[in-house]
Amino acid sequence: ETGVTQSPTHLIKTRGQQVTLRCSSQSGHNTVSWYQQALGQGPQFIFQYYREEENGRGNFPPRFSGLQFPNYSSELNVNALELDDSALYLCASSLASWDYGYTFGSGTRLTVV
Amino acid sequence: GQQVMQIPQYQHVQEGEDFTTYCNSSTTLSNIQWYKQRPGGHPVFLIQLVKSGEVKKQKRLTFQFGEAKKNSSLHITATQTTDVGTYFCAGPHNTDKLIFGTGTRLQVFP
Protein backbone atom coordinates (compact mmCIF):
# COMPACT_ATOMS: atom_id res chain seq x y z
CA GLU A 1 0.00 0.00 0.00
CA THR A 2 1.56 3.29 -1.09
CA GLY A 3 1.07 6.49 0.86
CA VAL A 4 0.39 9.98 -0.46
CA THR A 5 3.15 11.42 -2.61
CA GLN A 6 3.54 15.05 -3.57
CA SER A 7 5.77 16.74 -6.11
CA PRO A 8 7.84 18.76 -6.21
CA THR A 9 9.10 18.88 -2.63
CA HIS A 10 10.40 22.42 -2.93
CA LEU A 11 9.72 25.21 -5.39
CA ILE A 12 10.76 28.82 -5.80
CA LYS A 13 8.62 31.07 -7.97
CA THR A 14 8.50 34.75 -8.79
CA ARG A 15 5.53 36.92 -7.90
CA GLY A 16 2.96 36.88 -10.72
CA GLN A 17 3.94 33.44 -11.99
CA GLN A 18 1.77 30.35 -12.02
CA VAL A 19 2.47 27.04 -10.29
CA THR A 20 1.11 23.49 -10.44
CA LEU A 21 1.53 21.10 -7.53
CA ARG A 22 0.81 17.41 -7.84
CA CYS A 23 -0.46 14.73 -5.51
CA SER A 24 -0.91 10.98 -5.82
CA SER A 25 -3.42 9.73 -3.30
CA GLN A 26 -3.13 6.59 -1.23
CA SER A 27 -4.35 3.45 -2.93
CA GLY A 28 -8.10 3.01 -2.44
CA HIS A 29 -8.71 6.61 -1.37
CA ASN A 30 -11.16 8.56 -3.56
CA THR A 31 -11.12 11.90 -1.75
CA VAL A 32 -8.31 14.43 -1.90
CA SER A 33 -8.08 17.61 0.16
CA TRP A 34 -5.56 20.40 -0.21
CA TYR A 35 -4.32 22.54 2.66
CA GLN A 36 -2.07 25.56 2.96
CA GLN A 37 0.11 25.74 6.05
CA ALA A 38 1.98 28.94 6.78
CA LEU A 39 4.93 28.77 9.13
CA GLY A 40 3.80 28.22 12.70
CA GLN A 41 0.13 27.93 11.74
CA GLY A 42 -2.35 25.12 11.41
CA PRO A 43 -3.34 23.74 8.00
CA GLN A 44 -5.95 25.90 6.25
CA PHE A 45 -8.45 24.13 4.02
CA ILE A 46 -8.24 25.13 0.35
CA PHE A 47 -10.60 22.66 -1.33
CA GLN A 48 -11.54 19.02 -1.62
CA TYR A 49 -12.19 16.71 -4.55
CA TYR A 50 -14.34 13.62 -4.50
CA ARG A 51 -14.54 11.43 -7.59
CA GLU A 52 -13.23 14.22 -9.82
CA GLU A 53 -15.69 16.86 -8.59
CA GLU A 54 -14.94 19.76 -6.27
CA ASN A 55 -16.64 18.89 -3.01
CA GLY A 56 -16.08 21.96 -0.89
CA ARG A 57 -13.92 25.03 -0.81
CA GLY A 58 -12.32 27.16 1.87
CA ASN A 59 -11.75 30.92 1.90
CA PHE A 60 -9.29 31.05 -0.94
CA PRO A 61 -9.58 33.22 -4.09
CA PRO A 62 -10.43 31.75 -7.51
CA ARG A 63 -6.79 31.90 -8.57
CA PHE A 64 -6.46 28.73 -6.49
CA SER A 65 -7.91 25.93 -8.59
CA GLY A 66 -7.63 22.19 -8.77
CA LEU A 67 -8.31 18.99 -10.60
CA GLN A 68 -8.79 15.37 -9.69
CA PHE A 69 -8.13 12.67 -12.26
CA PRO A 70 -9.81 9.27 -12.76
CA ASN A 71 -7.01 7.57 -10.83
CA TYR A 72 -7.80 10.01 -7.94
CA SER A 73 -4.50 11.85 -8.25
CA SER A 74 -4.86 15.61 -8.04
CA GLU A 75 -3.35 18.95 -8.96
CA LEU A 76 -3.40 22.31 -7.26
CA ASN A 77 -2.89 25.32 -9.51
CA VAL A 78 -2.18 28.79 -8.27
CA ASN A 79 -2.18 31.73 -10.69
CA ALA A 80 -0.75 35.20 -10.23
CA LEU A 81 1.39 34.18 -7.27
CA GLU A 82 1.67 36.59 -4.37
CA LEU A 83 4.33 36.75 -1.68
CA ASP A 84 1.76 35.60 0.91
CA ASP A 85 1.30 32.37 -1.04
CA SER A 86 4.63 31.20 0.35
CA ALA A 87 3.74 28.21 2.50
CA LEU A 88 3.75 24.44 2.80
CA TYR A 89 1.03 22.95 0.61
CA LEU A 90 -0.30 19.68 1.90
CA CYS A 91 -2.34 17.12 0.07
CA ALA A 92 -4.39 14.62 2.08
CA SER A 93 -6.32 11.62 0.87
CA SER A 94 -9.11 9.77 2.61
CA LEU A 95 -11.88 7.26 2.06
CA ALA A 96 -14.57 9.90 2.56
CA SER A 97 -14.83 13.64 2.99
CA TRP A 98 -14.30 13.82 6.74
CA ASP A 99 -15.36 10.64 8.42
CA TYR A 100 -12.01 8.91 8.33
CA GLY A 101 -8.51 9.94 9.24
CA TYR A 102 -6.65 11.78 6.53
CA THR A 103 -3.34 10.54 5.16
CA PHE A 104 -1.10 13.49 4.38
CA GLY A 105 1.71 13.74 1.91
CA SER A 106 5.02 15.30 2.86
CA GLY A 107 3.99 18.55 1.23
CA THR A 108 5.43 21.03 -1.26
CA ARG A 109 7.31 23.98 0.19
CA LEU A 110 6.52 26.94 -2.07
CA THR A 111 8.53 30.13 -1.81
CA VAL A 112 7.40 33.18 -3.75
CA VAL A 113 10.01 35.89 -4.23
CA GLY B 1 -17.55 30.47 10.52
CA GLN B 2 -16.53 27.50 12.56
CA GLN B 3 -13.46 27.97 14.70
CA VAL B 4 -11.37 25.39 16.49
CA MET B 5 -9.07 26.77 19.15
CA GLN B 6 -6.41 24.98 21.12
CA ILE B 7 -4.63 25.88 24.33
CA PRO B 8 -1.91 26.26 25.22
CA GLN B 9 -0.17 27.49 22.09
CA TYR B 10 3.19 26.26 23.38
CA GLN B 11 4.22 23.93 26.17
CA HIS B 12 7.73 23.18 27.33
CA VAL B 13 8.09 20.24 29.71
CA GLN B 14 10.86 18.24 31.30
CA GLU B 15 11.06 14.68 30.09
CA GLY B 16 8.89 12.54 32.33
CA GLU B 17 6.35 15.27 33.05
CA ASP B 18 2.77 15.06 31.84
CA PHE B 19 1.27 17.21 29.09
CA THR B 20 -2.27 18.15 28.17
CA THR B 21 -3.66 20.12 25.23
CA TYR B 22 -7.26 21.29 25.04
CA CYS B 23 -9.36 21.76 21.94
CA ASN B 24 -12.54 23.85 21.76
CA SER B 25 -14.92 24.17 18.85
CA SER B 26 -17.42 26.96 18.31
CA THR B 27 -19.90 24.38 17.00
CA THR B 28 -20.91 20.84 17.90
CA LEU B 29 -18.82 18.26 16.10
CA SER B 30 -19.87 14.88 14.77
CA ASN B 31 -16.36 13.63 15.47
CA ILE B 32 -12.95 14.92 16.47
CA GLN B 33 -9.63 13.82 15.05
CA TRP B 34 -6.13 14.33 16.41
CA TYR B 35 -2.94 14.69 14.41
CA LYS B 36 0.74 15.03 15.29
CA GLN B 37 3.18 17.01 13.17
CA ARG B 38 6.87 16.61 13.90
CA PRO B 39 9.14 19.60 13.19
CA GLY B 40 9.66 19.78 9.44
CA GLY B 41 7.14 17.02 8.86
CA HIS B 42 3.53 16.62 7.89
CA PRO B 43 0.45 15.90 10.02
CA VAL B 44 0.03 12.25 10.94
CA PHE B 45 -3.37 10.92 11.97
CA LEU B 46 -3.48 9.67 15.56
CA ILE B 47 -7.11 8.89 16.37
CA GLN B 48 -10.76 9.71 15.81
CA LEU B 49 -13.39 10.06 18.54
CA VAL B 50 -17.06 9.90 17.68
CA LYS B 51 -19.19 9.36 20.77
CA SER B 52 -20.07 11.93 23.41
CA GLY B 53 -17.80 11.46 26.44
CA GLU B 54 -15.64 8.93 24.61
CA VAL B 55 -12.19 8.18 26.01
CA LYS B 56 -9.53 6.32 24.05
CA LYS B 57 -5.98 5.40 24.99
CA GLN B 58 -2.90 4.75 22.90
CA LYS B 59 -0.07 3.73 25.21
CA ARG B 60 0.82 6.96 27.07
CA LEU B 61 -1.72 9.07 25.13
CA THR B 62 -5.29 9.54 26.38
CA PHE B 63 -7.87 11.24 24.19
CA GLN B 64 -11.22 12.50 25.42
CA PHE B 65 -14.28 13.87 23.62
CA GLY B 66 -16.49 16.17 25.65
CA GLU B 67 -20.08 15.37 26.59
CA ALA B 68 -21.37 18.27 24.48
CA LYS B 69 -19.10 17.22 21.58
CA LYS B 70 -17.62 20.71 21.41
CA ASN B 71 -14.33 20.06 23.16
CA SER B 72 -11.63 17.48 23.40
CA SER B 73 -8.34 16.89 25.13
CA LEU B 74 -5.13 14.97 24.60
CA HIS B 75 -3.10 13.97 27.63
CA ILE B 76 0.37 12.49 27.44
CA THR B 77 1.70 10.74 30.53
CA ALA B 78 5.44 10.80 31.25
CA THR B 79 6.52 12.64 28.12
CA GLN B 80 9.51 11.48 26.10
CA THR B 81 11.66 13.39 23.65
CA THR B 82 9.94 11.46 20.85
CA ASP B 83 6.70 13.26 21.76
CA VAL B 84 8.09 16.56 20.46
CA GLY B 85 5.92 18.14 17.80
CA THR B 86 2.72 20.07 17.24
CA TYR B 87 -0.56 18.43 18.12
CA PHE B 88 -3.65 19.43 16.15
CA CYS B 89 -7.25 18.58 16.73
CA ALA B 90 -9.53 18.69 13.70
CA GLY B 91 -13.27 18.54 13.24
CA PRO B 92 -15.60 18.40 10.24
CA HIS B 93 -17.33 21.56 9.06
CA ASN B 94 -20.53 20.89 7.16
CA THR B 95 -19.80 17.64 5.35
CA ASP B 96 -17.04 18.70 3.09
CA LYS B 97 -14.04 19.88 5.01
CA LEU B 98 -11.92 19.06 7.99
CA ILE B 99 -11.05 22.17 9.99
CA PHE B 100 -7.83 22.08 11.96
CA GLY B 101 -7.28 23.69 15.31
CA THR B 102 -4.60 26.23 16.02
CA GLY B 103 -2.28 23.55 17.40
CA THR B 104 -0.19 23.11 20.52
CA ARG B 105 3.57 22.90 20.09
CA LEU B 106 5.19 20.58 22.60
CA GLN B 107 8.87 20.79 23.43
CA VAL B 108 10.38 18.16 25.73
CA PHE B 109 13.69 18.79 27.43
CA PRO B 110 15.79 15.74 28.39
Side-chain angles (χ1 to χ4, degrees):
Chain A
E1 173 178 290
T2 58
V4 177
T5 56
Q6 291 187 243
S7 63
T9 55
H10 295 83
L11 201 54
I12 300 175
K13 287 287 191 177
T14 303
R15 189 171 49 183
Q17 285 188 313
Q18 177 267 342
V19 68
T20 297
L21 310 182
R22 294 179 174 82
C23 170
S24 294
S25 59
Q26 181 168 315
S27 176
H29 286 184
N30 56 22
T31 302
V32 172
S33 303
W34 285 91
Y35 287 82
Q36 180 195 66
Q37 187 175 30
L39 207 57
Q41 305 294 317
Q44 299 296 310
F45 177 77
I46 302 176
F47 44 57
Q48 181 183 87
Y49 280 84
Y50 172 69
R51 294 187 175 180
E52 303 177 59
E53 297 287 330
E54 187 178 288
N55 186 42
R57 190 177 183 92
N59 295 325
F60 281 81
R63 59 189 185 84
F64 285 77
S65 63
L67 282 174
Q68 187 181 32
F69 300 100
N71 65 355
Y72 302 134
S73 65
S74 178
E75 286 183 355
L76 163 65
N77 299 288
V78 187
N79 294 321
L81 283 167
E82 301 177 0
L83 297 180
D84 285 349
D85 296 333
S86 296
L88 179 67
Y89 288 85
L90 294 161
C91 166
S93 74
S94 61
L95 283 171
S97 62
W98 49 261
D99 204 23
Y100 297 88
Y102 283 14
T103 302
F104 280 86
S106 299
T108 295
R109 173 72 61 188
L110 173 65
T111 302
V112 182
V113 297
Chain B
Q2 180 188 21
Q3 291 187 346
V4 183
M5 305 297 292
Q6 286 182 250
I7 55 170
Q9 189 175 5
Y10 302 98
Q11 185 81 60
H12 298 174
V13 300
Q14 202 76 32
E15 190 173 23
E17 291 181 338
D18 292 357
F19 159 77
T20 304
T21 172
Y22 300 91
C23 171
N24 292 284
S25 170
S26 58
T27 59
T28 301
L29 301 170
S30 60
N31 70 76
I32 191 88
Q33 300 179 17
W34 284 91
Y35 291 79
K36 176 184 178 181
Q37 186 172 19
R38 293 181 185 274
H42 57 276
V44 173
F45 175 71
L46 295 177
I47 206 163
Q48 176 177 281
L49 305 171
V50 178
K51 299 177 184 176
S52 169
E54 187 171 13
V55 177
K56 286 188 176 180
K57 293 190 176 184
Q58 288 181 348
K59 297 182 181 178
R60 296 177 295 103
L61 276 61
T62 300
F63 304 84
Q64 187 167 8
F65 201 8
E67 293 290 340
K69 301 183 80 173
K70 294 182 71 174
N71 55 43
S72 182
S73 65
L74 159 59
H75 179 82
I76 302 178
T77 303
T79 55
Q80 300 175 358
T81 54
T82 53
D83 296 325
V84 165
T86 302
Y87 292 85
F88 292 100
C89 62
H93 179 58
N94 296 330
T95 59
D96 57 12
K97 54 188 174 185
L98 195 64
I99 302 299
F100 279 75
T102 48
T104 296
R105 181 156 49 151
L106 172 64
Q107 182 62 261
V108 180
F109 295 105

